[in-house]
Amino acid sequence: MTESFANILVRQEGRVGVVQLNRPQALNALNSALMAELVAALQAFDADEGVGCIVITGSEKAFAAGADIKQMASASVVEMMDSPFIGYWDAVEAIRKPVIAAVSGYCFGGGCELAMICDLIVASDTAVFGQPEINLGIIPGAGGTQRLTRAVGKSVAMDMILSGRRINAQEALQFGLVSRVFPAASFQEDALKVAAEIASKAPVALRVAKEAVNRAYASSLAEGVLFERRAFNLLFATEDQKEGMAAFVEKRAPTWQGR
């Protein structure tokens, strides 16, 4: 990727694409310019056959401290309805490849919603999560009331959203909001190891698996199982399925073709 960005840093490590939010003076507060760049970088990695997994991260101090309140403070209801801003979160959700949120430090408001829209969250032991919008006289607007409730359950979600309660990394792990917690000293390296492990898997199967797990949130159990069954059968039309099973039988590492 050769494009230059003003609000993010982009790099590739092996088959892992890394997007680092980079507004340190604002604790990576999410404004339209940053979100537009983030989506552009994610879409470029999504289209790159050399990338198997994508990581979104921030700084040691903050993943993202929330949406940029200065951008919204004087907005009218019509301006908010017409704004494309929250649509950027939908664009992140539309990425087909696995996306990991690697969270260190503050992860509040829109930042927490950005992390939750990723496929999994890994956290530094310094991470702190919250949806403090109630303190501004509003509620989460990029899926926070819905995704947080699905992740941690109604009681904890109500507590966080109604009171503005913050939870630390270990609490987030206990409640099911994050999948792993790593020491701050090795966090970036550990997060990239998780991403590299995922990126090493069969590309088509990864995309289909992501779709199937996400379907569990949007359908009944019976509908989800039917989707899974069809997706499972579909993968038997791929070269990677033939290669994966042949490699298993022959006791060797598979060579994926992504088709």
Side-chain angles (χ1 to χ4, degrees):
M1 185 182 299
T2 59
E3 188 173 351
S4 178
F5 298 103
N7 299 284
I8 60 174
L9 301 175
V10 178
R11 69 184 190 275
Q12 184 173 339
E13 298 196 14
R15 287 184 52 77
V16 177
V18 181
V19 183
Q20 181 177 358
L21 310 182
N22 189 40
R23 294 187 70 211
Q25 74 285 358
L27 295 176
N28 292 332
L30 306 173
N31 60 12
S32 294
L34 185 152
M35 290 301 296
E37 291 181 359
L38 172 63
V39 169
L42 293 176
Q43 290 174 341
F45 279 139
D46 205 24
D48 186 343
E49 292 184 359
V51 173
C53 184
I54 306 168
V55 173
I56 302 175
T57 191
S59 67
E60 181 179 346
K61 187 173 184 178
F63 175 76
D68 194 331
I69 302 305
K70 294 178 181 179
Q71 182 175 295
M72 297 185 289
S74 62
S76 69
V77 62
V78 174
E79 287 171 335
M80 290 304 298
M81 290 172 64
D82 291 343
S83 170
F85 183 55
I86 290 180
Y88 290 123
W89 277 256
D90 298 333
V92 174
E93 185 177 29
I95 299 300
R96 298 169 300 164
K97 292 175 181 174
V99 181
I100 298 174
V103 175
S104 184
Y106 302 130
C107 186
F108 297 153
C112 190
E113 289 170 307
L114 175 59
M116 289 191 294
I117 214 167
C118 295
D119 299 306
L120 63 148
I121 304 172
V122 298
S124 160
D125 55 15
T126 65
V128 183
F129 299 86
Q131 296 286 168
E133 288 88 348
I134 198 73
N135 297 321
L136 303 174
I138 58 172
I139 66 170
T145 63
Q146 305 304 300
R147 292 189 177 89
L148 186 63
T149 304
R150 284 167 169 77
V152 304
K154 178 182 175 181
S155 184
V156 175
M158 282 288 193
D159 190 0
M160 293 177 67
I161 291 169
L162 299 185
S163 73
R165 173 189 174 186
R166 302 174 178 184
I167 61 172
N168 62 34
Q170 287 300 327
E171 289 174 312
L173 181 64
Q174 173 190 342
F175 296 144
L177 181 61
V178 308
S179 64
R180 311 190 199 192
V181 175
F182 298 116
S186 61
F187 170 65
Q188 289 293 335
E189 179 182 348
D190 291 333
L192 288 174
K193 285 180 181 178
V194 174
E197 176 67 18
I198 292 172
S200 73
K201 308 304 182 184
V204 178
L206 282 176
R207 293 199 299 269
V208 173
K210 172 174 174 170
E211 291 178 9
V213 174
N214 283 333
R215 182 58 64 99
Y217 281 93
S219 63
S220 67
L221 176 60
E223 291 169 337
V225 169
L226 180 59
F227 180 90
E228 178 191 80
R229 193 73 42 81
R230 290 171 175 168
F232 172 78
N233 292 337
L234 175 67
L235 287 170
F236 279 78
T238 66
E239 293 180 21
D240 281 349
Q241 175 270 324
K242 303 296 185 290
E243 167 64 10
M245 291 192 173
F248 178 84
V249 171
E250 297 165 12
K251 297 181 180 181
R252 60 174 175 82
T255 300
W256 308 120
Q257 301 299 320
R259 56 180 183 268

